[in-house]
Amino acid sequence: MFKSPSHAFALCAFFLTSVLCTASGKTPEKPADSQHFIIYLTNERSGDLSEIDSSTLQVIATIPLGKRPRGIHASPDHRFLYIALSGSPIAGPGVDESKLPPPDRSADGIGVFDVQQNKLLRLIPSGSDPENFDITKDGRTIIVSNEDDAKATFVDIATGKLTKSVPVGEEPEGVKVSPNGKFVYVTSENNGTITAIDISTATPIKTIKVGRRPRSVAFLPDGSRAYVSAENDAAVTVVDTAKNEAVQTITLGEPGKIKPMSVLLSADGATLYVSTGRGHKLFVIDTSTNRVRASQEIGERPWGIALSPDGKTLFSANGPSNDVSVVSLSNLSVTRKVKVGDGPWGIVALPR
């Protein structure tokens, strides 16, 4: 039977692929399934990683990591998770730090976790007491906030070496690389500022005054604005990134009761989600007007938040109750709570 040239070409491609795969002993990788994903949680007090399967909402694995895992982010290709680990003892508000045990600096660093092998491969030294970080757009460098020594460090992933150290404000926490990859914002909890750093030269560009105790940063997709949580002001500060200036304050409630922690934008940048820690609530902000659209209690001290790949569900890490809230964004209802390790802090969701 006659076969068209396109049909013959397809057959050749099929057999050639089969031969190459047999020779190499490998099969072609399947594309990620956006309907099926894994939710990864860092548990600060138990020192491990919880993995939740999206199809069952059950914990399928608990992997030891090290001391105080907090910030967690995926590599651009999703092959690795990077996790901030710290040997500094936990010191909450009002704790006399002089009475705490000495820090274990050998435990400080960025853990490299292989998603396919499901194990921690190595620990990259990154400075004293790393809390959070972000990854440059090329996936080669991690920029880390080191809480104890008021510095942001640049870490080369391939060599595992700390290459640069940049002074920032005291108690740095939030780190976010701009969408164009040219600069990074690092928040200072104590100073109420953001340090803008030129990534190519690792030099500070400007110090920006924002609200009291800034925790995290989110950029609009076009990079024109940044949103910064101001925990002690019960507000979100809007920053004009061209001017590197705060231009607006979005008030969420009464200071001391509403305590904004994580800020997270939808993929299209139209909606900003804000967790509020001891305020128990999730706030939803329309970025076209910078007004609060809705709010809802979702858990006991929701901290880290993540979106499902389709953007329809939000997950929050609730530290004191040791669980994750599953929030349907269509009506802001908590559809389920999943028990995890002790002190969940950071959270990401990756397609599998």
Side-chain angles (χ1 to χ4, degrees):
M1 182 174 65
F2 174 77
K3 294 181 175 60
S4 68
S6 61
H7 183 72
F9 178 80
L11 285 173
C12 288
F14 171 79
F15 286 118
L16 179 59
T17 301
S18 300
V19 169
L20 289 174
C21 291
T22 302
S24 65
K26 298 179 180 179
T27 55
E29 291 186 6
K30 294 181 180 180
D33 179 3
S34 63
Q35 300 302 311
H36 180 218
F37 55 96
I38 303 295
I39 306 142
Y40 296 90
L41 271 293
T42 55
N43 299 304
E44 182 180 10
R45 289 190 293 270
S46 54
D48 48 30
L49 183 76
S50 294
E51 300 178 9
I52 301 171
D53 189 298
S54 67
S55 59
T56 63
L57 292 178
Q58 299 286 332
V59 174
I60 56 173
T62 301
I63 313 293
L65 293 174
K67 294 183 178 180
R68 292 191 70 191
R70 288 181 287 177
I72 177 171
H73 302 281
S75 61
D77 59 9
H78 292 178
R79 291 177 56 202
F80 302 99
L81 293 172
Y82 301 114
I83 300 158
L85 299 165
S86 170
S88 294
I90 296 174
V95 172
D96 184 352
E97 296 190 20
S98 66
K99 296 181 180 179
L100 294 172
D104 176 7
R105 289 290 163 246
S106 67
D108 289 348
I110 302 298
V112 181
F113 185 89
D114 188 297
V115 171
Q116 291 299 319
Q117 297 184 58
N118 213 33
K119 70 177 184 179
L120 190 70
L121 300 181
R122 58 184 173 129
L123 182 68
I124 303 175
S126 62
S128 175
D129 191 21
E131 181 166 5
N132 217 331
F133 59 93
D134 202 4
I135 305 158
T136 55
K137 299 302 178 182
D138 59 11
R140 296 177 180 176
T141 304
I142 295 173
I143 302 169
V144 187
S145 61
N146 294 283
E147 190 172 18
D148 277 357
D149 61 5
K151 290 180 181 178
T153 52
F154 284 58
V155 178
D156 184 281
I157 296 173
T159 64
K161 293 182 178 180
L162 193 158
T163 59
K164 296 168 185 174
S165 183
V166 183
V168 292
E170 293 180 10
E171 287 195 34
E173 180 172 341
V175 183
K176 193 66 177 177
V177 172
S178 63
N180 64 10
K182 293 184 178 180
F183 61 94
V184 61
Y185 277 178
V186 182
T187 71
S188 164
E189 294 177 39
N190 272 15
N191 296 19
T193 60
I194 289 173
T195 302
I197 301 171
D198 183 297
I199 291 176
S200 64
T201 61
T203 56
I205 303 168
K206 190 175 181 180
T207 299
I208 309 162
K209 287 294 287 186
V210 290
R212 292 181 297 162
R213 203 166 172 82
R215 289 286 198 169
S216 67
V217 181
F219 287 100
L220 287 179
D222 66 3
S224 61
R225 278 179 281 158
Y227 292 86
V228 186
S229 59
E231 179 187 358
N232 287 355
D233 289 338
V236 172
T237 302
V238 185
V239 176
D240 181 323
T241 59
K243 299 177 180 179
N244 279 324
E245 292 179 359
V247 294
Q248 187 177 352
T249 299
I250 306 170
T251 301
L252 303 184
E254 182 181 344
K257 290 187 177 180
I258 298 299
K259 302 175 78 66
M261 295 293 180
S262 293
V263 288
L264 177 66
L265 280 161
S266 58
D268 61 5
T271 305
L272 180 75
Y273 301 101
V274 187
S275 67
T276 60
R278 292 176 177 85
H280 306 297
K281 290 185 176 183
L282 176 75
F283 280 77
V284 181
I285 295 172
D286 184 331
T287 59
S288 65
T289 61
N290 285 340
R291 292 181 179 178
V292 174
R293 185 190 304 158
S295 65
Q296 180 63 48
E297 289 198 12
I298 61 169
E300 187 177 350
R301 208 191 74 171
W303 195 295
I305 51 178
L307 292 171
S308 60
D310 63 9
K312 295 179 180 179
T313 306
L314 180 140
F315 305 93
S316 74
N318 308 317
S321 52
N322 298 332
D323 59 22
V324 173
S325 293
V326 181
V327 183
S328 172
L329 294 177
S330 61
N331 57 8
L332 286 190
S333 64
V334 177
T335 60
R336 191 157 173 179
K337 290 188 177 180
V338 183
K339 281 290 182 183
V340 289
D342 191 359
W345 197 99
I347 182 168
V348 295
L350 291 184
R352 291 294 291 271

